[in-house]
Amino acid sequence: MIPQLEIYRWEDASILSHFNCDVPAMDNFIHNKLGQFLCKHDCQMYVVFNSDGDADPIAMFVVSKGKVSLDKEMKDNVHQMEPILYDSLMHYEQWQCGEFPALELDYLAIRKDYRGKHIGYALMNAIYSLAKRVVGDDCRVVGVDAYCTTQYSS
């Protein structure tokens, strides 16, 4: 069963000082570089809590506004996209220029003791809803640059 999640926009990375996702590179980034990243980039950090009383964050993610640009080959092969994405993009007025507003998922981490509980699935649904608020109603794409290791995959 997926825990009931509470998601808050947060500006101070120190809330994650004891956060442990058990992926050394990500934990190092969160503890030593996330604060600087938030200051230097036009992005928003969100912190996730379990509404059942766990006082510490169980997950975090960082998003920014972006865009997806389709090159000629991609536009020529658009009919090979997933049907739901194809339908969404084909009705979009900027189809001819090949650029679409997007929400870029810069970072996402789930605390070690909450992994395997479908938190990532629930967060991706929340992030998709958030895309409309952050980027606007024209947002059709959520971009993800996935980080995969033997310990963790997206």
mmCIF file of all heavy atoms in Angstrom, residues 52-100:
data_model
loop_
_atom_site.group_PDB
_atom_site.id
_atom_site.type_symbol
_atom_site.label_atom_id
_atom_site.label_comp_id
_atom_site.label_asym_id
_atom_site.label_seq_id
_atom_site.Cartn_x
_atom_site.Cartn_y
_atom_site.Cartn_z
ATOM 1 N N ASP A 52 1.351 9.857 7.668
ATOM 2 C CA ASP A 52 1.046 9.013 8.824
ATOM 3 C C ASP A 52 1.944 9.290 10.024
ATOM 4 O O ASP A 52 1.967 8.511 10.959
ATOM 5 C CB ASP A 52 1.144 7.525 8.440
ATOM 6 C CG ASP A 52 0.058 7.111 7.477
ATOM 7 O OD1 ASP A 52 -0.981 7.801 7.412
ATOM 8 O OD2 ASP A 52 0.251 6.104 6.776
ATOM 9 N N GLY A 53 2.714 10.374 9.985
ATOM 10 C CA GLY A 53 3.416 10.795 11.178
ATOM 11 C C GLY A 53 4.931 10.769 11.145
ATOM 12 O O GLY A 53 5.558 11.191 12.105
ATOM 13 N N ASP A 54 5.553 10.277 10.103
ATOM 14 C CA ASP A 54 7.017 10.298 10.027
ATOM 15 C C ASP A 54 7.449 11.751 9.850
ATOM 16 O O ASP A 54 7.130 12.386 8.857
ATOM 17 C CB ASP A 54 7.489 9.441 8.851
ATOM 18 C CG ASP A 54 8.980 9.148 8.894
ATOM 19 O OD1 ASP A 54 9.732 9.924 9.519
ATOM 20 O OD2 ASP A 54 9.386 8.137 8.298
ATOM 21 N N ALA A 55 8.174 12.285 10.828
ATOM 22 C CA ALA A 55 8.533 13.706 10.806
ATOM 23 C C ALA A 55 9.636 14.040 9.817
ATOM 24 O O ALA A 55 9.797 15.195 9.438
ATOM 25 C CB ALA A 55 8.944 14.155 12.207
ATOM 26 N N ASP A 56 10.404 13.043 9.397
ATOM 27 C CA ASP A 56 11.510 13.281 8.471
ATOM 28 C C ASP A 56 11.056 13.086 7.024
ATOM 29 O O ASP A 56 10.184 12.252 6.749
ATOM 30 C CB ASP A 56 12.669 12.329 8.774
ATOM 31 C CG ASP A 56 13.295 12.599 10.129
ATOM 32 O OD1 ASP A 56 13.431 13.796 10.484
ATOM 33 O OD2 ASP A 56 13.635 11.628 10.828
ATOM 34 N N PRO A 57 11.653 13.823 6.095
ATOM 35 C CA PRO A 57 11.291 13.651 4.681
ATOM 36 C C PRO A 57 11.544 12.216 4.213
ATOM 37 O O PRO A 57 12.544 11.610 4.580
ATOM 38 C CB PRO A 57 12.214 14.618 3.944
ATOM 39 C CG PRO A 57 12.659 15.600 4.973
ATOM 40 C CD PRO A 57 12.677 14.854 6.269
ATOM 41 N N ILE A 58 10.628 11.710 3.394
ATOM 42 C CA ILE A 58 10.796 10.360 2.857
ATOM 43 C C ILE A 58 11.257 10.389 1.395
ATOM 44 O O ILE A 58 11.660 9.367 0.855
ATOM 45 C CB ILE A 58 9.514 9.521 2.995
ATOM 46 C CG1 ILE A 58 8.380 10.088 2.146
ATOM 47 C CG2 ILE A 58 9.114 9.414 4.457
ATOM 48 C CD1 ILE A 58 7.195 9.147 2.007
ATOM 49 N N ALA A 59 11.174 11.562 0.774
ATOM 50 C CA ALA A 59 11.616 11.704 -0.611
ATOM 51 C C ALA A 59 11.825 13.178 -0.904
ATOM 52 O O ALA A 59 11.382 14.052 -0.151
ATOM 53 C CB ALA A 59 10.605 11.097 -1.585
ATOM 54 N N MET A 60 12.504 13.435 -2.009
ATOM 55 C CA MET A 60 12.701 14.806 -2.478
ATOM 56 C C MET A 60 12.788 14.785 -3.989
ATOM 57 O O MET A 60 13.113 13.766 -4.580
ATOM 58 C CB MET A 60 13.967 15.428 -1.888
ATOM 59 C CG MET A 60 15.275 14.716 -2.204
ATOM 60 S SD MET A 60 15.981 14.954 -3.876
ATOM 61 C CE MET A 60 16.408 16.654 -3.832
ATOM 62 N N PHE A 61 12.450 15.909 -4.589
ATOM 63 C CA PHE A 61 12.682 16.046 -6.021
ATOM 64 C C PHE A 61 12.876 17.508 -6.353
ATOM 65 O O PHE A 61 12.440 18.401 -5.616
ATOM 66 C CB PHE A 61 11.576 15.400 -6.876
ATOM 67 C CG PHE A 61 10.195 15.952 -6.685
ATOM 68 C CD1 PHE A 61 9.718 16.978 -7.492
ATOM 69 C CD2 PHE A 61 9.343 15.408 -5.734
ATOM 70 C CE1 PHE A 61 8.427 17.461 -7.341
ATOM 71 C CE2 PHE A 61 8.056 15.888 -5.576
ATOM 72 C CZ PHE A 61 7.590 16.914 -6.384
ATOM 73 N N VAL A 62 13.571 17.753 -7.448
ATOM 74 C CA VAL A 62 13.855 19.099 -7.933
ATOM 75 C C VAL A 62 13.395 19.161 -9.378
ATOM 76 O O VAL A 62 13.693 18.262 -10.171
ATOM 77 C CB VAL A 62 15.364 19.437 -7.840
ATOM 78 C CG1 VAL A 62 15.652 20.826 -8.408
ATOM 79 C CG2 VAL A 62 15.852 19.322 -6.398
ATOM 80 N N VAL A 63 12.648 20.206 -9.710
ATOM 81 C CA VAL A 63 12.145 20.381 -11.076
ATOM 82 C C VAL A 63 12.487 21.775 -11.578
ATOM 83 O O VAL A 63 12.720 22.702 -10.805
ATOM 84 C CB VAL A 63 10.610 20.168 -11.156
ATOM 85 C CG1 VAL A 63 10.242 18.732 -10.817
ATOM 86 C CG2 VAL A 63 9.871 21.145 -10.263
ATOM 87 N N SER A 64 12.497 21.909 -12.906
ATOM 88 C CA SER A 64 12.704 23.211 -13.529
ATOM 89 C C SER A 64 11.912 23.258 -14.825
ATOM 90 O O SER A 64 11.535 22.227 -15.377
ATOM 91 C CB SER A 64 14.194 23.452 -13.800
ATOM 92 O OG SER A 64 14.725 22.431 -14.614
ATOM 93 N N LYS A 65 11.664 24.468 -15.278
ATOM 94 C CA LYS A 65 10.996 24.640 -16.563
ATOM 95 C C LYS A 65 11.980 24.304 -17.664
ATOM 96 O O LYS A 65 13.160 24.606 -17.573
ATOM 97 C CB LYS A 65 10.515 26.081 -16.738
ATOM 98 C CG LYS A 65 9.400 26.474 -15.821
ATOM 99 C CD LYS A 65 8.987 27.909 -16.090
ATOM 100 C CE LYS A 65 7.936 28.357 -15.112
ATOM 101 N NZ LYS A 65 7.526 29.751 -15.345
ATOM 102 N N GLY A 66 11.480 23.709 -18.697
ATOM 103 C CA GLY A 66 12.333 23.368 -19.818
ATOM 104 C C GLY A 66 11.524 23.317 -21.096
ATOM 105 O O GLY A 66 10.393 23.792 -21.155
ATOM 106 N N LYS A 67 12.107 22.730 -22.100
ATOM 107 C CA LYS A 67 11.393 22.522 -23.354
ATOM 108 C C LYS A 67 11.980 21.312 -24.045
ATOM 109 O O LYS A 67 13.128 20.936 -23.822
ATOM 110 C CB LYS A 67 11.450 23.745 -24.251
ATOM 111 C CG LYS A 67 12.818 24.061 -24.794
ATOM 112 C CD LYS A 67 12.788 25.287 -25.675
ATOM 113 C CE LYS A 67 14.201 25.636 -26.135
ATOM 114 N NZ LYS A 67 14.225 26.806 -26.971
ATOM 115 N N VAL A 68 11.161 20.709 -24.849
ATOM 116 C CA VAL A 68 11.590 19.592 -25.670
ATOM 117 C C VAL A 68 11.536 20.060 -27.101
ATOM 118 O O VAL A 68 10.520 20.606 -27.552
ATOM 119 C CB VAL A 68 10.676 18.369 -25.468
ATOM 120 C CG1 VAL A 68 11.021 17.269 -26.452
ATOM 121 C CG2 VAL A 68 10.779 17.867 -24.039
ATOM 122 N N SER A 69 12.628 19.904 -27.801
ATOM 123 C CA SER A 69 12.697 20.290 -29.211
ATOM 124 C C SER A 69 12.801 19.041 -30.066
ATOM 125 O O SER A 69 13.647 18.187 -29.829
ATOM 126 C CB SER A 69 13.916 21.182 -29.469
ATOM 127 O OG SER A 69 13.833 22.356 -28.706
ATOM 128 N N LEU A 70 11.928 18.953 -31.046
ATOM 129 C CA LEU A 70 11.957 17.824 -31.965
ATOM 130 C C LEU A 70 12.736 18.210 -33.211
ATOM 131 O O LEU A 70 12.455 19.233 -33.825
ATOM 132 C CB LEU A 70 10.534 17.424 -32.370
ATOM 133 C CG LEU A 70 9.576 17.030 -31.257
ATOM 134 C CD1 LEU A 70 8.233 16.627 -31.844
ATOM 135 C CD2 LEU A 70 10.151 15.912 -30.416
ATOM 136 N N ASP A 71 13.702 17.382 -33.572
ATOM 137 C CA ASP A 71 14.419 17.635 -34.819
ATOM 138 C C ASP A 71 13.600 17.065 -35.980
ATOM 139 O O ASP A 71 12.550 16.452 -35.791
ATOM 140 C CB ASP A 71 15.833 17.064 -34.775
ATOM 141 C CG ASP A 71 15.876 15.554 -34.585
ATOM 142 O OD1 ASP A 71 14.868 14.868 -34.850
ATOM 143 O OD2 ASP A 71 16.935 15.055 -34.174
ATOM 144 N N LYS A 72 14.065 17.262 -37.196
ATOM 145 C CA LYS A 72 13.316 16.843 -38.383
ATOM 146 C C LYS A 72 13.028 15.346 -38.363
ATOM 147 O O LYS A 72 11.913 14.917 -38.648
ATOM 148 C CB LYS A 72 14.064 17.222 -39.659
ATOM 149 C CG LYS A 72 13.298 16.849 -40.923
ATOM 150 C CD LYS A 72 14.027 17.259 -42.166
ATOM 151 C CE LYS A 72 13.334 16.884 -43.452
ATOM 152 N NZ LYS A 72 12.294 15.931 -43.463
ATOM 153 N N GLU A 73 14.013 14.549 -37.986
ATOM 154 C CA GLU A 73 13.818 13.097 -37.964
ATOM 155 C C GLU A 73 12.728 12.703 -36.962
ATOM 156 O O GLU A 73 11.877 11.860 -37.246
ATOM 157 C CB GLU A 73 15.132 12.391 -37.614
ATOM 158 C CG GLU A 73 15.003 10.887 -37.605
ATOM 159 C CD GLU A 73 16.312 10.184 -37.262
ATOM 160 O OE1 GLU A 73 17.363 10.849 -37.176
ATOM 161 O OE2 GLU A 73 16.262 8.960 -37.088
ATOM 162 N N MET A 74 12.739 13.334 -35.804
ATOM 163 C CA MET A 74 11.724 13.027 -34.804
ATOM 164 C C MET A 74 10.338 13.440 -35.296
ATOM 165 O O MET A 74 9.364 12.709 -35.111
ATOM 166 C CB MET A 74 12.063 13.715 -33.482
ATOM 167 C CG MET A 74 13.278 13.139 -32.801
ATOM 168 S SD MET A 74 13.791 14.098 -31.356
ATOM 169 C CE MET A 74 12.570 13.566 -30.169
ATOM 170 N N LYS A 75 10.257 14.615 -35.921
ATOM 171 C CA LYS A 75 8.969 15.056 -36.450
ATOM 172 C C LYS A 75 8.482 14.125 -37.554
ATOM 173 O O LYS A 75 7.297 13.803 -37.629
ATOM 174 C CB LYS A 75 9.066 16.494 -36.958
ATOM 175 C CG LYS A 75 9.128 17.522 -35.836
ATOM 176 C CD LYS A 75 9.431 18.912 -36.327
ATOM 177 C CE LYS A 75 8.308 19.512 -37.097
ATOM 178 N NZ LYS A 75 8.563 20.935 -37.408
ATOM 179 N N ASP A 76 9.404 13.656 -38.398
ATOM 180 C CA ASP A 76 9.032 12.753 -39.484
ATOM 181 C C ASP A 76 8.567 11.392 -38.960
ATOM 182 O O ASP A 76 7.790 10.700 -39.619
ATOM 183 C CB ASP A 76 10.212 12.536 -40.441
ATOM 184 C CG ASP A 76 10.526 13.776 -41.261
ATOM 185 O OD1 ASP A 76 9.682 14.709 -41.299
ATOM 186 O OD2 ASP A 76 11.622 13.825 -41.856
ATOM 187 N N ASN A 77 9.043 10.999 -37.782
ATOM 188 C CA ASN A 77 8.706 9.687 -37.216
ATOM 189 C C ASN A 77 7.728 9.768 -36.049
ATOM 190 O O ASN A 77 7.607 8.826 -35.274
ATOM 191 C CB ASN A 77 9.984 8.966 -36.786
ATOM 192 C CG ASN A 77 10.863 8.622 -37.960
ATOM 193 O OD1 ASN A 77 10.391 8.060 -38.942
ATOM 194 N ND2 ASN A 77 12.125 8.993 -37.884
ATOM 195 N N VAL A 78 7.038 10.883 -35.925
ATOM 196 C CA VAL A 78 6.140 11.089 -34.795
ATOM 197 C C VAL A 78 5.045 10.029 -34.730
ATOM 198 O O VAL A 78 4.569 9.674 -33.651
ATOM 199 C CB VAL A 78 5.540 12.518 -34.819
ATOM 200 C CG1 VAL A 78 4.548 12.661 -35.961
ATOM 201 C CG2 VAL A 78 4.906 12.854 -33.482
ATOM 202 N N HIS A 79 4.662 9.481 -35.855
ATOM 203 C CA HIS A 79 3.607 8.471 -35.867
ATOM 204 C C HIS A 79 4.015 7.203 -35.105
ATOM 205 O O HIS A 79 3.169 6.384 -34.766
ATOM 206 C CB HIS A 79 3.235 8.114 -37.311
ATOM 207 C CG HIS A 79 4.376 7.543 -38.089
ATOM 208 N ND1 HIS A 79 5.364 8.342 -38.631
ATOM 209 C CD2 HIS A 79 4.709 6.263 -38.371
ATOM 210 C CE1 HIS A 79 6.252 7.560 -39.239
ATOM 211 N NE2 HIS A 79 5.880 6.306 -39.096
ATOM 212 N N GLN A 80 5.315 7.055 -34.796
ATOM 213 C CA GLN A 80 5.788 5.882 -34.060
ATOM 214 C C GLN A 80 5.743 6.079 -32.544
ATOM 215 O O GLN A 80 6.053 5.176 -31.785
ATOM 216 C CB GLN A 80 7.213 5.534 -34.491
ATOM 217 C CG GLN A 80 7.299 5.100 -35.936
ATOM 218 C CD GLN A 80 8.737 4.872 -36.387
ATOM 219 O OE1 GLN A 80 9.670 4.960 -35.605
ATOM 220 N NE2 GLN A 80 8.889 4.568 -37.662
ATOM 221 N N MET A 81 5.338 7.283 -32.093
ATOM 222 C CA MET A 81 5.250 7.556 -30.657
ATOM 223 C C MET A 81 4.094 6.773 -30.038
ATOM 224 O O MET A 81 3.204 6.301 -30.732
ATOM 225 C CB MET A 81 4.981 9.048 -30.409
ATOM 226 C CG MET A 81 6.120 9.946 -30.696
ATOM 227 S SD MET A 81 5.609 11.657 -30.310
ATOM 228 C CE MET A 81 7.098 12.512 -30.643
ATOM 229 N N GLU A 82 4.123 6.698 -28.727
ATOM 230 C CA GLU A 82 2.997 6.122 -28.008
ATOM 231 C C GLU A 82 1.735 6.891 -28.405
ATOM 232 O O GLU A 82 1.762 8.128 -28.498
ATOM 233 C CB GLU A 82 3.212 6.247 -26.493
ATOM 234 C CG GLU A 82 4.319 5.383 -25.963
ATOM 235 C CD GLU A 82 3.973 3.909 -26.025
ATOM 236 O OE1 GLU A 82 2.797 3.550 -25.864
ATOM 237 O OE2 GLU A 82 4.904 3.112 -26.261
ATOM 238 N N PRO A 83 0.620 6.204 -28.630
ATOM 239 C CA PRO A 83 -0.604 6.873 -29.105
ATOM 240 C C PRO A 83 -1.057 8.051 -28.245
ATOM 241 O O PRO A 83 -1.437 9.087 -28.767
ATOM 242 C CB PRO A 83 -1.642 5.756 -29.106
ATOM 243 C CG PRO A 83 -0.843 4.513 -29.274
ATOM 244 C CD PRO A 83 0.463 4.764 -28.567
ATOM 245 N N ILE A 84 -0.974 7.927 -26.923
ATOM 246 C CA ILE A 84 -1.450 9.013 -26.068
ATOM 247 C C ILE A 84 -0.580 10.259 -26.221
ATOM 248 O O ILE A 84 -1.068 11.375 -26.253
ATOM 249 C CB ILE A 84 -1.569 8.566 -24.594
ATOM 250 C CG1 ILE A 84 -2.379 9.591 -23.803
ATOM 251 C CG2 ILE A 84 -0.207 8.327 -23.982
ATOM 252 C CD1 ILE A 84 -2.844 9.078 -22.476
ATOM 253 N N LEU A 85 0.739 10.084 -26.354
ATOM 254 C CA LEU A 85 1.631 11.219 -26.547
ATOM 255 C C LEU A 85 1.429 11.810 -27.939
ATOM 256 O O LEU A 85 1.361 13.018 -28.104
ATOM 257 C CB LEU A 85 3.087 10.797 -26.353
ATOM 258 C CG LEU A 85 4.145 11.881 -26.544
ATOM 259 C CD1 LEU A 85 3.921 13.028 -25.564
ATOM 260 C CD2 LEU A 85 5.531 11.312 -26.377
ATOM 261 N N TYR A 86 1.302 10.945 -28.938
ATOM 262 C CA TYR A 86 1.071 11.401 -30.311
ATOM 263 C C TYR A 86 -0.184 12.268 -30.383
ATOM 264 O O TYR A 86 -0.155 13.368 -30.926
ATOM 265 C CB TYR A 86 0.941 10.183 -31.233
ATOM 266 C CG TYR A 86 0.599 10.532 -32.661
ATOM 267 C CD1 TYR A 86 1.589 10.954 -33.529
ATOM 268 C CD2 TYR A 86 -0.707 10.431 -33.125
ATOM 269 C CE1 TYR A 86 1.290 11.273 -34.851
ATOM 270 C CE2 TYR A 86 -1.014 10.748 -34.441
ATOM 271 C CZ TYR A 86 -0.018 11.167 -35.301
ATOM 272 O OH TYR A 86 -0.315 11.484 -36.590
ATOM 273 N N ASP A 87 -1.289 11.787 -29.819
ATOM 274 C CA ASP A 87 -2.545 12.553 -29.844
ATOM 275 C C ASP A 87 -2.387 13.891 -29.144
ATOM 276 O O ASP A 87 -2.865 14.921 -29.606
ATOM 277 C CB ASP A 87 -3.682 11.762 -29.196
ATOM 278 C CG ASP A 87 -4.116 10.570 -30.027
ATOM 279 O OD1 ASP A 87 -3.758 10.522 -31.226
ATOM 280 O OD2 ASP A 87 -4.799 9.695 -29.477
ATOM 281 N N SER A 88 -1.689 13.881 -28.003
ATOM 282 C CA SER A 88 -1.499 15.108 -27.245
ATOM 283 C C SER A 88 -0.679 16.124 -28.036
ATOM 284 O O SER A 88 -1.011 17.305 -28.094
ATOM 285 C CB SER A 88 -0.803 14.784 -25.922
ATOM 286 O OG SER A 88 -0.517 15.949 -25.203
ATOM 287 N N LEU A 89 0.398 15.673 -28.664
ATOM 288 C CA LEU A 89 1.274 16.593 -29.392
ATOM 289 C C LEU A 89 0.660 17.063 -30.705
ATOM 290 O O LEU A 89 0.847 18.201 -31.105
ATOM 291 C CB LEU A 89 2.633 15.938 -29.656
ATOM 292 C CG LEU A 89 3.481 15.643 -28.427
ATOM 293 C CD1 LEU A 89 4.788 14.980 -28.842
ATOM 294 C CD2 LEU A 89 3.755 16.887 -27.605
ATOM 295 N N MET A 90 -0.048 16.204 -31.382
ATOM 296 C CA MET A 90 -0.612 16.570 -32.681
ATOM 297 C C MET A 90 -1.664 17.679 -32.555
ATOM 298 O O MET A 90 -1.879 18.436 -33.482
ATOM 299 C CB MET A 90 -1.241 15.351 -33.371
ATOM 300 C CG MET A 90 -0.205 14.368 -33.889
ATOM 301 S SD MET A 90 1.059 15.093 -34.958
ATOM 302 C CE MET A 90 0.104 15.501 -36.396
ATOM 303 N N HIS A 91 -2.290 17.804 -31.402
ATOM 304 C CA HIS A 91 -3.302 18.837 -31.199
ATOM 305 C C HIS A 91 -2.696 20.104 -30.599
ATOM 306 O O HIS A 91 -3.394 21.048 -30.299
ATOM 307 C CB HIS A 91 -4.420 18.306 -30.302
ATOM 308 C CG HIS A 91 -5.225 17.246 -30.979
ATOM 309 N ND1 HIS A 91 -4.722 16.005 -31.264
ATOM 310 C CD2 HIS A 91 -6.481 17.258 -31.463
ATOM 311 C CE1 HIS A 91 -5.637 15.284 -31.873
ATOM 312 N NE2 HIS A 91 -6.724 16.019 -32.002
ATOM 313 N N TYR A 92 -1.407 20.089 -30.457
ATOM 314 C CA TYR A 92 -0.715 21.216 -29.842
ATOM 315 C C TYR A 92 -0.348 22.229 -30.908
ATOM 316 O O TYR A 92 0.216 21.879 -31.949
ATOM 317 C CB TYR A 92 0.537 20.699 -29.116
ATOM 318 C CG TYR A 92 1.230 21.733 -28.293
ATOM 319 C CD1 TYR A 92 0.589 22.324 -27.218
ATOM 320 C CD2 TYR A 92 2.514 22.132 -28.584
ATOM 321 C CE1 TYR A 92 1.230 23.278 -26.455
ATOM 322 C CE2 TYR A 92 3.168 23.076 -27.827
ATOM 323 C CZ TYR A 92 2.511 23.644 -26.766
ATOM 324 O OH TYR A 92 3.137 24.587 -26.020
ATOM 325 N N GLU A 93 -0.670 23.498 -30.660
ATOM 326 C CA GLU A 93 -0.518 24.531 -31.694
ATOM 327 C C GLU A 93 0.928 24.783 -32.116
ATOM 328 O O GLU A 93 1.177 25.266 -33.211
ATOM 329 C CB GLU A 93 -1.161 25.840 -31.237
ATOM 330 C CG GLU A 93 -0.494 26.447 -30.024
ATOM 331 C CD GLU A 93 -1.262 27.640 -29.473
ATOM 332 O OE1 GLU A 93 -2.492 27.600 -29.466
ATOM 333 O OE2 GLU A 93 -0.587 28.597 -29.066
ATOM 334 N N GLN A 94 1.909 24.451 -31.288
ATOM 335 C CA GLN A 94 3.299 24.701 -31.659
ATOM 336 C C GLN A 94 3.940 23.498 -32.342
ATOM 337 O O GLN A 94 5.154 23.430 -32.477
ATOM 338 C CB GLN A 94 4.110 25.104 -30.429
ATOM 339 C CG GLN A 94 3.724 26.473 -29.913
ATOM 340 C CD GLN A 94 4.663 26.953 -28.842
ATOM 341 O OE1 GLN A 94 5.393 26.194 -28.254
ATOM 342 N NE2 GLN A 94 4.636 28.238 -28.587
ATOM 343 N N TRP A 95 3.125 22.568 -32.788
ATOM 344 C CA TRP A 95 3.659 21.377 -33.439
ATOM 345 C C TRP A 95 4.597 21.724 -34.593
ATOM 346 O O TRP A 95 5.655 21.130 -34.747
ATOM 347 C CB TRP A 95 2.512 20.506 -33.941
ATOM 348 C CG TRP A 95 2.989 19.390 -34.809
ATOM 349 C CD1 TRP A 95 2.793 19.255 -36.141
ATOM 350 C CD2 TRP A 95 3.782 18.282 -34.411
ATOM 351 N NE1 TRP A 95 3.407 18.127 -36.601
ATOM 352 C CE2 TRP A 95 4.034 17.505 -35.550
ATOM 353 C CE3 TRP A 95 4.332 17.872 -33.205
ATOM 354 C CZ2 TRP A 95 4.777 16.342 -35.524
ATOM 355 C CZ3 TRP A 95 5.080 16.713 -33.177
ATOM 356 C CH2 TRP A 95 5.288 15.964 -34.319
ATOM 357 N N GLN A 96 4.235 22.696 -35.385
ATOM 358 C CA GLN A 96 5.032 23.024 -36.568
ATOM 359 C C GLN A 96 6.437 23.512 -36.218
ATOM 360 O O GLN A 96 7.385 23.233 -36.924
ATOM 361 C CB GLN A 96 4.303 24.058 -37.438
ATOM 362 C CG GLN A 96 3.022 23.527 -38.051
ATOM 363 C CD GLN A 96 3.248 22.263 -38.866
ATOM 364 O OE1 GLN A 96 4.205 22.166 -39.622
ATOM 365 N NE2 GLN A 96 2.385 21.282 -38.697
ATOM 366 N N CYS A 97 6.585 24.248 -35.127
ATOM 367 C CA CYS A 97 7.924 24.709 -34.759
ATOM 368 C C CYS A 97 8.710 23.630 -34.025
ATOM 369 O O CYS A 97 9.925 23.713 -33.906
ATOM 370 C CB CYS A 97 7.864 25.993 -33.939
ATOM 371 S SG CYS A 97 7.298 25.767 -32.254
ATOM 372 N N GLY A 98 8.022 22.602 -33.537
ATOM 373 C CA GLY A 98 8.709 21.461 -32.932
ATOM 374 C C GLY A 98 9.237 21.685 -31.540
ATOM 375 O O GLY A 98 10.093 20.944 -31.084
ATOM 376 N N GLU A 99 8.744 22.696 -30.830
ATOM 377 C CA GLU A 99 9.162 22.918 -29.452
ATOM 378 C C GLU A 99 7.951 22.865 -28.541
ATOM 379 O O GLU A 99 6.912 23.443 -28.847
ATOM 380 C CB GLU A 99 9.847 24.277 -29.297
ATOM 381 C CG GLU A 99 11.235 24.308 -29.869
ATOM 382 C CD GLU A 99 11.974 25.582 -29.512
ATOM 383 O OE1 GLU A 99 11.385 26.487 -28.905
ATOM 384 O OE2 GLU A 99 13.157 25.654 -29.851
ATOM 385 N N PHE A 100 8.115 22.167 -27.423
ATOM 386 C CA PHE A 100 7.023 21.984 -26.481
ATOM 387 C C PHE A 100 7.486 22.349 -25.078
ATOM 388 O O PHE A 100 8.558 21.909 -24.654
ATOM 389 C CB PHE A 100 6.557 20.525 -26.487
ATOM 390 C CG PHE A 100 6.124 20.061 -27.839
ATOM 391 C CD1 PHE A 100 7.023 19.447 -28.694
ATOM 392 C CD2 PHE A 100 4.824 20.262 -28.269
ATOM 393 C CE1 PHE A 100 6.628 19.023 -29.947
ATOM 394 C CE2 PHE A 100 4.427 19.839 -29.519
ATOM 395 C CZ PHE A 100 5.322 19.219 -30.370
#
